[in-house]
């Protein structure tokens, strides 16, 4: 693992955006695996800024998102498709027909997940996968479990994840209890992985990810086995490590 220390959230976002922009410049038709949540928003803002300056061209880029809430339509302001449109896609020249998010309105989990795995397969594989890190060590919506999930699957969200996400909804009762997410196996197939981590509340999870045993109880710990992982974390997130 390559650990890149950032001063703060803004510095983290800029460093992460540098890595993504280098990928797009080196391979204009690359496949980007994208993430949602508060962690990557600053990274997306930086990419938009560079695009507006004429430094980046997303016309040939394909994107595949990690996850989506089950039961939410793309038009729902809390859906991850809406998030991606609002925070990135609406502001760059990416072809939205080549941006993929799991179908949250597909009621049949087996069908939804099989279709998404086929999209990943037909893409030729993800060149760079962007990840955030949950307070319980989850990546995507792969929650602590007894085993690592291999492919895209439907998950029941844990109380800690529901609690972390309830700030985006009118009430906790409005937070979906299930989501479709890429599996650990799907994520690990990416050629490069970039993890952005910010805040002292992620310090324990980050330490367990980097230094702890590889266990499905800390899903992100599997990243220790990938041969090209860069973690960009701010000082607060690294506060429990000697880095």
């Amino acid at each position: 693992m390559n650990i890149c220390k950032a001063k703060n959230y803004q510095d983290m976002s800029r460093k992460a955006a540098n890595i993504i922009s280098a990928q797009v410049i080196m391979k204009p038709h690359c496949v980007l695996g994208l993430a949602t949540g508060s962690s990557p928003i600053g990274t997306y803002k930086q990419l938009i800024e560079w695009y507006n300056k004429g430094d980046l061209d997303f016309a040939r880029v394909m994107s595949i998102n990690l996850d989506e809430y089950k039961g939410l339509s793309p038009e729902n302001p809390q859906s991850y498709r809406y998030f991606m449109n609002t925070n990135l896609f609406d502001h760059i020249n990416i072809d939205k027909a080549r941006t993929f998010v799991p179908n949250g309105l597909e009621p049949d989990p087996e069908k939804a997940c099989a279709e998404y795995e086929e999209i990943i397969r037909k893409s030729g594989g993800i060149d760079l996968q962007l990840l955030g890190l949950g307070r319980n060590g989850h990546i995507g919506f792969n929650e602590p479990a007894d085993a690592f999930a291999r492919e895209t699957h439907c998950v029941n969200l844990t109380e800690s994840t529901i609690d972390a996400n309830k700030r985006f909804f009118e009430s906790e009762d409005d937070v979906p209890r299930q989501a479709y997410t890429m599996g650990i196996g799907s994520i690990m197939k990416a050629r490069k992985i970039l993890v952005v981590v910010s805040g002292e509340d992620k310090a324990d999870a980050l330490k367990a990810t980097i230094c702890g045993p590889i266990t499905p109880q800390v899903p992100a710990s599997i990243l220790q086995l990938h041969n090209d992982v860069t973690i960009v974390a701010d000082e607060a997130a690294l506060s429990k490590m000697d880095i």
Side-chain angles (χ1 to χ4, degrees):
M1 285 184 175
N2 176 32
I3 313 300
C4 180
K5 188 174 184 178
K7 295 177 183 177
N8 49 38
Y9 179 82
Q10 184 177 4
D11 188 36
M12 176 203 77
S13 299
R14 186 177 180 86
K15 284 179 165 64
N18 263 322
I19 294 169
I20 296 172
S21 63
Q23 175 66 63
V24 173
I25 291 168
M26 289 188 298
K27 186 178 179 181
H29 60 288
C30 67
V31 180
L32 296 179
L34 299 180
T36 55
S38 56
S39 296
I41 288 178
T43 300
Y44 294 151
K45 285 182 178 178
Q46 184 64 72
L47 292 173
I48 292 166
E49 181 181 325
W50 288 335
Y51 165 74
N52 287 332
K53 288 181 178 179
D55 297 334
L56 289 174
D57 181 7
F58 294 91
R60 297 171 61 194
V61 169
M62 177 179 178
S63 73
I64 301 177
N65 258 72
L66 278 169
D67 42 32
E68 178 61 283
Y69 286 119
K70 185 174 183 287
L72 296 192
S73 72
E75 295 75 32
N76 188 304
Q78 302 307 329
S79 75
Y80 287 161
R81 163 58 75 178
Y82 189 96
F83 176 100
M84 291 307 305
N85 288 344
T86 303
N87 289 286
L88 184 62
F89 298 154
D90 287 346
H91 310 285
I92 58 175
N93 65 332
I94 198 166
D95 179 359
K96 284 188 183 178
R98 288 168 52 79
T99 65
F100 297 93
V101 179
N103 181 7
L105 291 182
E106 173 54 63
D108 182 345
E110 288 190 12
K111 181 181 178 184
C113 298
E115 288 177 346
Y116 209 62
E117 278 297 314
E118 183 66 7
I119 289 170
I120 299 171
R121 188 189 68 78
K122 284 186 175 180
S123 76
I126 294 169
D127 291 298
L128 188 154
Q129 177 65 61
L130 176 64
L131 298 173
L133 179 67
R135 290 182 299 193
N136 61 1
H138 76 246
I139 47 177
F141 271 129
N142 293 282
E143 303 280 11
D146 294 329
F148 292 111
R150 293 184 59 190
E151 298 186 335
T152 302
H153 58 292
C154 183
V155 295
N156 297 316
L157 303 184
T158 63
E159 286 303 316
S160 65
T161 297
I162 291 169
D163 182 65
N165 290 344
K166 69 182 181 183
R167 67 187 187 276
F168 301 116
F169 293 82
E170 287 189 13
S171 73
E172 184 174 331
D173 292 338
D174 294 326
V175 184
R177 265 45 184 178
Q178 291 184 309
Y180 293 133
T181 185
M182 277 191 209
I184 294 294
S186 309
I187 292 169
M188 291 291 285
K189 288 177 184 176
R191 296 176 182 92
K192 300 177 184 177
I193 294 177
L194 170 62
V195 191
V196 290
V197 194
S198 175
E200 192 174 356
D201 62 330
K202 301 291 183 70
D204 286 327
L206 183 57
K207 184 177 181 180
T209 295
I210 297 172
C211 304
I214 298 170
T215 168
Q217 292 299 319
V218 182
S221 64
I222 194 73
L223 298 177
Q224 295 176 37
L225 299 179
H226 196 282
N227 63 5
D228 194 346
V229 175
T230 298
I231 296 176
V232 184
D234 64 15
E235 292 177 354
L238 287 166
S239 60
K240 297 194 175 181
M241 299 179 61
D242 295 326
I243 292 180

